[in-house]
Amino acid sequence: MLAIPGILACPITLVPLLARGVVILRGERKSPSARAKGCAFLLGAALLGVYAWGLTYIVGAVVESEDGGTGSSPSPPCRTGEQWQVENVTGHSVSYLPLRFECHVDKGASYSTTVPEYVNPALLGCAVLTFASATAALCLPRTRPEERHAPA
């Protein structure tokens, strides 16, 4: 259940990332490096938000599957598969990167459930764009073009 502190920590981290990105982009210093840095902060906030969104699905599925009691086998999140899959469920596992709740069936096969299909590709896209923006912020000039060529 380490995912619950992760869900709680996301908003605490998300708000400062958003605020910092907006402050940088709205600031007077609009060098190419500052713009890329502001974009990196905003994309980092988007990455964190998408991860928190997918994590809520995982936590919900884990809580529902560990509830126990009558009708707890197969695990309720595993009942969304095909009929032959549901009848042959042997267990489940959770992966936090990529976000996945997998239901295991006989003969070593498994199928994913609960996490929407768009979450993991969105995570990958946000991660790549965040990395590219952060790299650009380090490589681009830190002054505006008119400041670079000002007479001394």
Side-chain angles (χ1 to χ4, degrees), residues 25-41:
L25 288 176
R26 291 187 54 114
E28 289 185 25
R29 188 169 176 233
K30 299 223 176 160
S31 68
S33 176
R35 289 180 189 196
K37 186 177 180 180
C39 287
F41 275 108

Side-chain angles (χ1 to χ4, degrees), residues 2 5 18 24-27 35 53 58 65 77 81-82 89 91 93 99 103-104 112-113 124 126 149:
L2 294 174
L18 280 172
I24 289 172
L25 288 176
R26 291 187 54 114
R35 289 180 189 196
W53 179 253
I58 294 287
S65 68
E82 299 291 328
V89 171
S93 64
L99 289 170
C103 300
H104 302 287
S112 295
T113 178
L124 178 63
C126 286
H149 303 292

